[in-house]
Amino acid sequence: MDRPEEPRNESEQINQPTDEESGFPPRRPTEDEPVSPYRESYEEEQEPPRKRGGGGKAFFVGLIGGIIGALLIALVAWPFARDQMTSPTPAEPTTEQAATTATEAENDIVGAVGKTKEAVVSVTNLQSSFQGTDQETGSGSGVIYKKDGNKAYVVTNYHVVEGASRLSVTLSDGTALEAKVLGEDPTYDLAVLSIDAAKVTQVAKIGDSDTLRAGETVLAIGNPLGIFANSVTRGVISAQERTVPVDTNKDGQQDFNTEVIQTDAAINPGNSGGALINTSGQLIGINSMKIAEASVEGVGFAIPINEALPIMRDLEQNGEVVRPQLGIQIRDVQEFPSGYREDRLKLPSDVTKGIVVVGLTKNSGAAKAGMKANDVIVEIDGKKIGSFADLKSVLYRDAKVGQTVKVMFYRNGDKQSLDVKLSAQAATVQ
């Protein structure tokens, strides 16, 4: 704002033009207007300077109003300001704090590896040659999961020890020991070995694979390429329960749907049979296979430890896994041409999957229940059966010897059901 004009003395006043100089007629006083004796009769009287008292009063009134307004605003805003003051404000971590957090995370990983690394061994498959000597034909990894007296027990993959005439297990400190095969299971690709426990210093702690979550950090420990013992790779759980069809008897047909853990932790040849562990150092899977294609990266699989444990116990104690069976010989529906399915099996047009009974074992549960050749099984205990792999998965994973199951099937175009008691699988049947 412009400052109020300050009063000036006459010497400081600016010369103003007279009425005559400005061209306007001189102002004459009215009849009742007194004429100062000190001035000429028609001289224009100067307006006295304005007093500043009124401006000060307005200023104080405005000041008081502003203070009252500010108080009202403060009263309204106080609850919000109080919440802001009492709520924790996330602070940006300092460089030192970030480094400390990273160090703690790395220490967790290092600690987890330290709890399991010495329990992971290298397994060498030795087979007799034409010269009569044992030659190395392959190698893999294994995990010491139990120590009892003078024996220690190692779990590995079946394909690591398949066809071996002799097995050698090398501990993390380089000690080589002879190993004995206690049992093998091609279906789950597992085998259990025993070794001398005298120099075994660490046993893997068993975890719970049912609690795994996608994105969880995991570590694979093994012997990649057969030459880099106790190598550690890090990744995450890509999927907790991935169903992968496999050919267990190597006849070119997929005959079992195995449930595996998918991970992007590097699992290379030689890692098979090694440990998949969590950040607590617990064994949650047995590394088993990898899609080895040039265009595929970071897709590895491990057998969940909760799936493997019952198999490991059977192999350790009995040398084999006794599984239930219906007592039938079968073929997949899709192996038959559509004309045969319609004319001989008399299947409805919308039934394109299932298993066809082509033979029965004498005195088996299926034979006693009344099943016949050309029956087409489509369901067992409410679970869909679309292939031989589905049948094995339902019987091996969910059923037990001596259990009675409800079998749904088509016979001459009619859907029927029978209750079948499962018997122990004979070595000559599937």
Side-chain angles (χ1 to χ4, degrees):
M1 295 178 58
D2 294 336
R3 295 179 59 190
E5 185 179 358
E6 297 289 344
R8 298 189 181 102
N9 55 40
E10 293 185 0
S11 63
E12 293 177 335
Q13 290 183 1
I14 300 173
N15 293 328
Q16 298 290 337
T18 63
D19 290 341
E20 293 179 356
E21 292 174 345
S22 64
F24 289 100
R27 174 182 174 275
R28 295 181 180 274
T30 60
E31 295 180 357
D32 56 351
E33 182 178 350
V35 178
S36 173
Y38 301 102
R39 297 184 181 180
E40 295 183 2
S41 302
Y42 301 108
E43 181 179 306
E44 180 78 16
E45 184 175 350
Q46 291 270 339
E47 183 176 344
R50 296 179 180 177
K51 296 182 179 180
R52 301 176 63 185
K57 182 178 180 181
F59 171 77
F60 282 111
V61 171
L63 178 62
I64 294 172
I67 293 173
I68 294 173
L71 289 175
L72 291 174
I73 293 173
L75 289 174
V76 173
W78 168 246
F80 302 99
R82 180 186 56 196
D83 291 342
Q84 288 283 29
M85 289 187 292
T86 56
S87 299
T89 302
E92 290 292 331
T94 64
T95 303
E96 183 178 355
Q97 289 172 328
T100 301
T101 302
T103 302
E104 290 174 353
E106 294 302 318
N107 285 340
D108 289 342
I109 299 299
V110 173
V113 172
K115 294 176 182 177
T116 312
K117 191 173 183 180
E118 293 181 9
V120 179
V121 299
S122 299
V123 180
T124 304
N125 185 322
L126 301 168
Q127 297 184 14
S128 299
S129 65
F130 291 109
Q131 292 79 18
T133 58
D134 291 337
Q135 293 184 344
E136 180 179 335
T137 58
S139 63
S141 306
V143 185
I144 302 172
Y145 69 92
K146 181 180 177 181
K147 186 176 179 181
D148 186 10
N150 60 355
K151 286 186 178 181
Y153 298 89
V154 178
V155 60
T156 186
N157 288 147
Y158 165 74
H159 74 262
V160 171
V161 302
E162 183 181 8
S165 57
R166 188 164 63 89
L167 289 170
S168 176
V169 167
T170 304
L171 304 181
S172 60
D173 64 357
T175 302
L177 303 172
E178 289 289 324
K180 177 184 177 181
V181 177
L182 298 181
E184 301 170 334
D185 181 41
T187 299
Y188 271 88
D189 193 26
L190 290 171
V192 171
L193 319 176
S194 66
I195 58 174
D196 185 358
K199 293 190 176 182
V200 171
T201 59
Q202 192 175 66
V203 174
K205 294 182 179 179
I206 305 298
D208 184 359
S209 56
D210 289 343
T211 63
L212 296 176
R213 299 167 297 172
E216 181 177 343
T217 298
V218 290
L219 306 157
I221 309 177
N223 180 30
L225 308 181
I227 55 177
F228 300 111
N230 294 106
S231 292
V232 180
T233 56
R234 177 178 177 176
V236 299
I237 297 294
S238 304
Q240 306 99 303
E241 297 178 359
R242 186 72 78 196
T243 300
V244 178
V246 294
D247 176 15
T248 60
N249 55 10
K250 297 183 179 179
D251 63 354
Q253 299 293 322
Q254 296 172 344
D255 52 24
F256 185 64
N257 293 325
T258 183
E259 288 188 3
V260 293
I261 301 166
Q262 182 185 338
T263 177
D264 66 347
I267 300 175
N268 296 293
N271 274 115
S272 290
L276 188 70
I277 65 173
N278 57 22
T279 53
S280 296
Q282 298 171 330
L283 181 67
I284 47 92
I286 306 299
N287 299 326
S288 180
M289 47 188 159
K290 177 181 171 65
I291 298 178
E293 297 181 10
S295 60
V296 176
E297 288 291 336
V299 182
F301 299 102
I303 303 166
I305 195 62
N306 289 14
E307 291 272 334
L309 277 176
I311 310 301
M312 292 158 57
R313 294 191 186 104
D314 283 348
L315 296 179
E316 177 191 324
Q317 297 170 9
N318 307 317
E320 62 178 351
V321 179
V322 179
R323 292 190 170 95
Q325 65 164 350
L326 291 169
I328 57 177
Q329 291 82 50
I330 61 174
R331 291 177 64 184
D332 285 358
V333 165
Q334 292 179 323
E335 296 180 29
F336 297 90
S338 58
Y340 185 92
R341 297 199 297 259
E342 295 174 2
D343 298 338
R344 295 292 301 274
L345 301 178
K346 301 186 184 305
L347 287 175
S349 59
D350 61 338
V351 179
T352 59
K353 293 183 178 181
I355 55 175
V356 182
V357 178
V358 297
L360 292 97
T361 304
K362 187 177 181 180
N363 295 324
S364 67
K368 291 178 179 179
M371 295 202 74
K372 298 179 180 180
N374 289 336
D375 287 346
V376 180
I377 298 173
V378 293
E379 190 175 299
I380 295 179
D381 275 353
K383 299 177 179 66
K384 300 292 183 182
I385 305 297
S387 65
F388 180 32
D390 291 339
L391 175 65
K392 289 182 69 175
S393 297
V394 169
L395 293 181
Y396 292 0
R397 186 172 289 117
D398 302 324
K400 297 180 180 180
V401 174
Q403 179 181 341
T404 298
V405 295
K406 183 177 289 296
V407 180
M408 302 293 296
F409 61 95
Y410 283 93
R411 178 183 292 173
N412 295 324
D414 296 328
K415 193 172 185 179
Q416 304 179 31
S417 67
L418 286 172
D419 291 333
V420 179
K421 186 176 182 179
L422 301 176
S423 57
Q425 186 182 62
T428 56
V429 179
Q430 280 90 9

